[in-house]
Amino acid sequence: MTHRLIQVTVLVLACHGIALTGQATPGAANTPNATKEQGSIALLAKSVSDLNFVAAWRGCQEYASRRQYQCLLLGPEGSASPRAQLQALDAAVTTHDIDALAVSVTHSALLAHRLKSLSVPVFTFDSPLSAPYQGLSLAYVGMDNRQMGRELGYLARQLHPKGGTLCLMSAENDTNLNLRMAGVREVLNRGWTELARCPWDSGDSVNRALRQLQTTLTQLQPDVFIAVGHWPVLEPHRLQAMLTALETNGASHHTSLLFATGHLSEAQLSLLNEGLVDGYVAVDFYQIGRAVAQQMIAYLAGENPAAPTPVPSRTYTRDRP
């Protein structure tokens, strides 16, 4: 897959009361620049195609614009890739005049060498650096990923109090996803067996995740399937069609389906209400964006901001929508 770095910016034209939203490749003639009165902070996403990171950018921009800053969303398009993110990091610091940077980390070891050389303050959000490299970040802002995994484990335990078989889905290398899997396993450490075929590596791909889920339901048939990311439910109409087709063809399954995700759409909630999905643990990326902007701007103002409070996650079930 070819990855292209894109930038998303919002400029508020106060004199006319107009909000102008634009996307541009670096160096394009219409790329807005910060004025002397306006600084720039940036979010380096795993993928700018991921709506969770777009939501985080909106929260970041909302907070920043009230404090004479603009917030840039930078990163590769398409499926998340550590090497594509490293290229995006190189482009971000060479192309843009950034005062502070927050990174959602794909692969800590791969990014660490480049982060060490940066002259701007670095924060992490959504996905922190792994333990050996955490000193490269001034603070991590986001959800407690291990607790998010525990919440998924609690849901599984409520659905199957006697234990059972488990299949996990993740994506390789991502620190936050590894923490979530650790949280699941911490809760389901007795009476549960992980199937040998799992955990699946979704490759951060909706198509791949749906194929893997179909194999799980038709061949592996665990008691519980847990995706520690939102890949299978990112396009809810496709998941609905797949699950409905299984039932129509007489291949109905007994597997409970649980997902970690960002803000839930009406279509994703409908899957829950229709009984096709058994539960979500969701987090508000807009609030993560606001919180990380607050940390960066406070630091740039010479303040010593308090350690960030984790952005809470919320559990959704049919009994607790």
Side-chain angles (χ1 to χ4, degrees):
M1 175 179 292
T2 300
H3 296 272
R4 179 170 61 88
L5 177 70
I6 74 168
Q7 169 190 323
V8 183
T9 63
V10 171
L11 294 183
V12 179
L13 307 182
C15 58
H16 299 291
I18 300 171
L20 174 65
T21 303
Q23 296 185 352
T25 55
N30 63 342
T31 300
N33 295 314
T35 67
K36 290 183 180 179
E37 294 78 22
Q38 186 180 45
S40 291
I41 58 176
L43 305 181
L44 182 65
K46 295 176 182 178
S47 168
V48 295
S49 303
D50 188 324
L51 294 179
N52 285 334
F53 291 115
V54 175
W57 165 72
R58 293 188 189 282
C60 178
Q61 175 62 16
E62 186 273 330
Y63 186 90
S65 64
R66 298 173 184 271
R67 290 157 181 84
Q68 298 300 310
Y69 279 86
Q70 66 172 346
C71 182
L72 309 179
L73 177 62
L74 306 172
E77 288 185 298
S79 299
S81 158
R83 295 198 178 279
Q85 190 182 40
L86 179 60
Q87 292 172 359
L89 175 60
D90 286 334
V93 297
T94 57
T95 307
H96 301 284
D97 185 12
I98 296 170
D99 297 303
L101 178 69
V103 182
S104 176
V105 178
T106 51
H107 193 297
S108 296
L110 189 64
L111 296 178
H113 179 73
R114 190 68 181 95
L115 291 175
K116 286 179 184 177
S117 67
L118 297 186
S119 59
V120 298
V122 174
F123 295 76
T124 53
F125 75 106
D126 169 56
S127 181
L129 289 158
S130 58
Y133 307 103
Q134 286 179 357
L136 298 175
S137 167
L138 291 168
Y140 164 72
V141 181
M143 71 291 280
D144 181 334
N145 284 290
R146 185 180 288 270
Q147 181 59 28
M148 200 171 185
R150 292 189 190 106
E151 295 294 337
L152 289 163
Y154 296 145
L155 283 178
R157 205 162 63 183
Q158 290 169 16
L159 292 165
H160 299 271
K162 295 182 180 180
T165 53
L166 170 68
C167 181
L168 289 167
M169 175 181 285
S170 186
E172 191 177 12
N173 297 319
D174 294 36
T175 308
N176 62 329
L177 303 179
N178 290 336
L179 288 169
R180 292 178 195 177
M181 285 204 297
V184 171
R185 288 166 173 157
E186 178 184 325
V187 172
L188 304 182
N189 63 347
R190 292 185 180 179
W192 289 84
T193 302
E194 281 193 55
L195 300 183
R197 186 82 173 267
C198 308
W200 292 109
D201 175 12
S202 69
D204 199 49
S205 164
V206 175
N207 291 337
R208 183 171 170 179
L210 286 173
R211 288 196 301 270
Q212 291 169 338
L213 177 56
Q214 185 163 21
T215 299
T216 301
L217 299 179
T218 57
Q219 298 180 27
L220 306 183
Q221 299 183 344
D223 294 305
V224 177
F225 170 87
I226 297 177
V228 296
H230 62 175
W231 315 283
V233 77
L234 190 57
E235 297 180 19
H237 63 284
R238 293 180 61 188
L239 177 59
Q240 182 183 40
M242 186 189 81
L243 296 175
T244 302
L246 288 177
E247 292 187 4
T248 301
N249 296 329
S252 59
H253 65 90
H254 67 274
T255 301
S256 300
L257 302 180
L258 304 174
F259 302 97
T261 186
H263 177 74
L264 289 171
S265 67
E266 289 298 322
Q268 289 167 334
L269 286 171
S270 292
L271 293 175
L272 187 66
N273 297 331
E274 294 169 15
L276 297 174
V277 167
D278 295 277
Y280 297 105
V281 177
V283 68
D284 189 340
F285 273 78
Y286 184 90
Q287 292 303 322
I288 292 175
R290 289 190 88 259
V292 73
Q294 181 180 16
Q295 286 286 314
M296 287 192 283
I297 292 172
Y299 181 85
L300 292 171
E303 300 175 15
N304 186 18
T309 302
V311 176
S313 55
R314 178 182 171 186
T315 298
Y316 293 80
T317 63
R318 285 191 293 279
D319 298 330
R320 187 170 49 180

